[in-house]
Amino acid sequence: MQAPTRMSIDAVRAPVYYVDNTPSTLDVAASLLADTAIPTPHLTTIIADRQSAGRGRLGRSWVTPPGQALLASTIVSLPVSLPADALGWIVHACALSVREALATRLEPLGHAVSLKWPNDVLVDGARKVCGILAQLAPASSPYMTAVILGYGINIAQEAGTMPTAQATSLLAEGDKQAGTAPTSVAHALLGSILTGLDERIRSLITHGDAANAGLLTEAEQAMPLIGTRIVLASPTDAHGTPAREGIALGLAPTGALLLRTDDGTTEEINA
């Protein structure tokens, strides 16, 4: 694995490490956490130009041409005193921060940016521009819990060149700077994302739960599927075969999706 290099990015106070090519930034983040000689404070972030084995939810691959996306993993440090239910909100905090950063660029172009439970960021409710993955990792201190957030944002891919018709990029949505200066755009996005993530996690730690931290309302308002009838695959089915359907009522205190099925029961669906 290529050794990461420390770098400086405007508006980012936490350490940022860069690798040109890596199987996955999640793996680099885990390695840094395990190396006691390298400090990895809260929001330490690894970015790469290319991932050869980037992965998403259910083991799906995430492949993008070099230099055309923000490929990042951020280490989040949480006190062990944080209630267990709050841990499920870390990925939502990241998704909301990504949505906010992207909306700043895309809403002036006439686009809406929303969230699709559990881990996608969509443009106009239909086209995926970002995916997010969270995993627990051994913390460097017995008083802390570590979560690694991996996220990939499509920036400079041209329309028609992405692997699926449901994928999009900032450039494909009309953000011209994303095509002419993708690295600058990626760094600006990272600064905005980390600022928003820090604010939301600090609120979650202070209040102890998503409702009082304001995350519950913010997340539900960012998810157009709330209040609609949806069809879900099994959480372990990578092929997306429909397994249950019902009305999406909202989010549970754990961050799970509340689904009211046709027999009137309410289920908590975990990612």
Side-chain angles (χ1 to χ4, degrees):
M1 183 182 297
Q2 179 185 349
T5 301
R6 180 81 178 263
M7 66 178 298
S8 176
I9 295 178
D10 290 344
V12 177
R13 290 176 292 178
V16 177
Y17 292 90
Y18 166 80
V19 289
D20 173 55
N21 184 12
T22 181
S24 169
T25 57
L26 279 164
D27 295 339
V28 178
S31 295
L32 288 181
L33 268 174
D35 188 342
T36 56
I38 300 177
T40 51
H42 180 57
L43 299 183
T44 294
T45 298
I46 296 86
I47 60 174
D49 281 338
R50 182 176 183 271
Q51 291 186 134
S52 58
R55 58 189 183 271
R57 184 170 167 259
L58 301 179
R60 298 185 181 106
S61 62
W62 178 279
V63 180
T64 188
Q68 294 189 8
L70 171 59
L71 305 172
S73 287
T74 296
I75 298 168
V76 174
S77 298
L78 305 164
V80 294
S81 58
L82 186 70
D85 281 358
L87 288 176
W89 284 90
I90 303 305
V91 68
H92 293 311
C94 184
L96 288 166
S97 301
V98 170
R99 192 212 71 81
E100 183 178 43
L102 292 175
T104 300
R105 303 190 69 89
L106 292 178
E107 285 182 352
L109 299 175
H111 297 296
V113 184
S114 61
L115 304 183
K116 178 184 176 183
W117 186 91
N119 67 338
D120 291 343
V121 184
L122 305 182
V123 178
D124 297 332
R127 300 178 296 281
K128 180 176 176 179
V129 69
C130 174
I132 301 166
L133 186 67
Q135 67 178 39
L136 288 171
S140 57
S141 165
Y143 304 104
M144 306 298 292
T145 297
V147 177
I148 303 175
L149 294 165
Y151 43 102
I153 300 175
N154 291 332
I155 293 177
Q157 299 93 324
E158 294 185 357
T161 66
M162 284 162 281
T164 70
Q166 292 74 39
T168 192
S169 70
L170 289 177
L171 176 61
E173 298 297 339
D175 186 339
K176 294 182 179 180
Q177 187 186 14
T180 59
T183 299
S184 295
V185 170
H187 290 179
L189 285 173
L190 182 61
S192 297
I193 291 166
L194 294 182
T195 297
L197 182 60
D198 190 34
E199 292 173 353
R200 290 174 174 88
I201 289 177
R202 286 180 184 275
S203 183
L204 187 62
I205 293 172
T206 298
H207 296 283
D209 65 84
N212 286 309
L215 290 179
L216 176 60
T217 297
E218 186 184 10
E220 290 184 339
Q221 289 178 345
M223 294 181 181
L225 64 79
I226 301 299
T228 68
R229 186 172 187 83
I230 61 172
V231 178
L232 294 174
S234 167
T236 58
D237 180 10
H239 301 290
T241 306
R244 51 166 61 86
E245 60 182 289
I247 304 297
L249 299 179
L251 299 177
T254 59
L257 182 68
L258 294 173
L259 184 75
R260 187 177 66 208
T261 57
D262 291 341
D263 63 6
T265 61
T266 298
E267 301 180 18
E268 288 193 18
I269 309 298
N270 291 291

